[in-house]
Amino acid sequence: MADKKRVCIVGSGNWGSAIAKIVGYNANRLDQFDSLVTMYVYEEMIDGRKLTEIINQDHENVKYLPGHKLPANVVAVPNLIDAAKDADILIFVVPHQFIKRQCEELKGKIKPNAVGLSLIKGFDQAEGGGIDLISHIIKRILNIDVFVLMGANLAGEVADEKFCETTIGCKCVKFAPLLKDLIETDNFKVSVVDDVDTVEICGALKNIVACGAGFADGMGLGDNTKSAIIRLGLTEMIKFAQTFYNSSKLSTFYESCGVADLITTCYGGRNRKVSEAFVKTGKSIEQLEKEMLNGQKLQGPITALEVNYMLKSKNMEDEFPLFTSVHKICSGAIKPDAFIEQLRKHPEHK
């Protein structure tokens, strides 16, 4: 079929590789997709072999998703433009700090009618004291439609094919069913909503709350305290979305991208894990990131910084005390043991 859609995955960390496992499987069995799936891989040497060579010959990303076989139709490509140039669907799954540079590299070198699907959780600082959504950055630079996927999706569990859900934010009636077909499996169920910005906001903000949960774990404060942090964090997430994105729908927070992702990340994610170690060891976030994440990037502290940039410019830090406290702890402005005192004074308790 001439209209088969070709897919490129831009990124190959643990989440990118877990998604590659799903996308490769679906592209190989469904008629609407070209079976070849390219995956942009930042080239590294692993025990004397190129990472792309290992993936293409052994069908395993031994650095970021060891122990999981990738479909043979997923081909690792070390050059970003070569990987993406023929794609109809570009799945972006890289640390959000890198997306601008990569989009600038791709500008004018992809199909003009291609679409993007962003799995990237984070914000970027915008001029004038605001923040920029990652999907908006991709759309602006590449001039393509961009949708988002966020959910309670710890990469290792997805790769293990344990049952879970996810949310795709997509307003396009043409592409919504296509993206659902590309991503969904019996154990990875997809809901599609048209509230795209809120889906993305949830994916970014929950990492800030997870840092707070990690601080509580590091101080040994127990599950009651962590539950309070999750609830207060959810109220700030909703308030943030409804304050700055007035089209936001409350119902979106009940999707997998909302409360489910928040709970999962506060109990099982890397932001929680590193934040707990931050309290227990006294080491810096940067040092722990290097020691604990095997080259992966931590999103919570930098997202807290970006959100604080916006809140401070609008003189609204006191209205979001959990977000503000997490940023101040990560940046060293206050000690972790001041966190709970800040929450005691939360507007929710007045």
Side-chain angles (χ1 to χ4, degrees):
M1 292 174 59
D3 59 349
K4 284 177 179 279
K5 302 297 184 184
R6 181 170 286 190
V7 182
C8 170
I9 300 169
V10 180
S12 57
N14 67 336
W15 187 210
S17 297
I19 281 295
K21 187 176 177 182
I22 290 173
V23 169
Y25 167 74
N26 283 336
N28 203 38
R29 70 184 183 89
L30 298 175
D31 288 339
Q32 59 265 52
F33 302 105
D34 190 307
S35 62
L36 174 66
V37 175
T38 56
M39 179 169 70
Y40 166 64
V41 175
Y42 178 77
E43 193 68 279
E44 302 177 65
M45 297 300 294
I46 310 291
D47 296 329
R49 297 175 68 192
K50 293 179 178 179
L51 182 55
T52 53
E53 177 185 291
I54 296 171
I55 292 171
N56 292 334
Q57 293 180 2
D58 302 345
H59 309 297
E60 181 182 355
N61 189 334
V62 294
K63 180 166 185 180
Y64 295 111
L65 197 68
H68 293 276
K69 286 293 182 181
L70 299 176
N73 58 310
V74 175
V75 176
V77 180
N79 182 281
L80 176 59
I81 294 169
D82 288 344
K85 64 184 180 182
D86 296 322
D88 301 289
I89 301 172
L90 294 158
I91 299 176
F92 294 92
V93 54
V94 295
H96 77 278
Q97 301 95 307
F98 304 147
I99 193 63
K100 277 186 177 178
R101 175 174 56 80
Q102 291 186 337
C103 285
E104 289 292 350
E105 190 175 344
L106 288 173
K107 189 175 181 180
K109 299 181 177 68
I110 60 172
K111 287 185 174 182
N113 59 344
V115 300
L117 180 66
S118 174
L119 280 60
I120 301 171
K121 297 178 177 179
F123 299 126
D124 192 38
Q125 292 183 5
E127 292 183 10
I131 59 171
D132 222 348
L133 298 185
I134 301 302
S135 65
H136 293 189
I137 293 171
I138 299 169
K139 180 175 183 177
R140 188 167 61 244
I141 296 175
L142 296 181
N143 194 30
I144 61 173
D145 288 330
V146 182
F147 315 115
V148 298
L149 180 151
M150 306 283 160
N153 307 141
L154 297 178
E157 294 183 13
V158 173
D160 285 336
E161 299 180 27
K162 295 177 180 177
F163 178 81
C164 64
E165 303 172 312
T166 199
T167 310
I168 292 178
C170 178
K171 293 181 179 179
C172 177
V173 294
K174 174 185 175 184
F175 274 97
L178 190 72
L179 294 174
K180 183 179 173 76
D181 286 346
L182 180 63
I183 299 295
E184 187 165 72
T185 69
D186 287 345
N187 287 317
F188 195 64
K189 306 305 288 186
V190 175
S191 295
V192 181
V193 300
D194 63 3
D195 189 11
V196 182
D197 287 352
T198 306
V199 173
E200 183 169 0
I201 289 164
C202 286
L205 293 179
K206 55 93 182 182
N207 284 328
I208 305 177
V209 185
C211 289
F215 298 151
D217 287 342
M219 290 183 282
L221 296 178
D223 286 337
N224 289 345
T225 300
K226 186 186 280 192
S227 295
I229 290 167
I230 292 171
R231 188 190 76 83
L232 293 170
L234 180 61
T235 65
E236 291 196 15
M237 288 168 60
I238 294 170
K239 182 177 180 179
F240 185 93
Q242 294 182 338
T243 300
F244 301 115
Y245 298 85
N246 56 18
S247 63
S248 176
K249 299 176 182 177
L250 183 61
S251 59
T252 304
F253 290 91
Y254 295 100
E255 298 288 343
S256 181
C257 64
V259 65
D261 194 9
L262 176 62
I263 293 169
T264 295
T265 309
C266 286
Y267 277 92
R270 72 184 71 153
N271 290 281
R272 187 219 64 80
K273 182 180 179 182
V274 173
S275 296
E276 179 183 15
F278 175 77
V279 174
K280 288 183 172 180
T281 67
K283 295 179 181 179
S284 70
I285 293 289
E286 294 77 14
Q287 186 177 353
L288 291 167
E289 183 181 64
K290 292 176 183 176
E291 292 179 4
M292 300 175 66
L293 298 185
N294 191 33
Q296 298 175 81
K297 295 296 182 182
L298 199 65
Q299 298 302 313
I302 193 168
T303 303
L305 170 66
E306 290 154 354
V307 166
N308 188 258
Y309 169 77
M310 182 173 181
L311 295 178
K312 191 171 184 178
S313 73
K314 299 180 182 298
N315 198 28
M316 295 179 70
E317 287 177 293
D318 290 345
E319 296 185 38
F320 295 87
L322 190 149
F323 291 170
T324 300
S325 298
V326 168
H327 164 64
K328 288 182 176 180
I329 292 169
C330 290
S331 64
I334 62 174
K335 297 293 185 183
D337 56 13
F339 184 51
I340 300 304
E341 182 58 35
Q342 298 301 312
L343 298 187
R344 288 192 183 105
K345 299 183 290 187
H346 198 282
E348 280 282 303
H349 297 142
K350 293 179 180 178

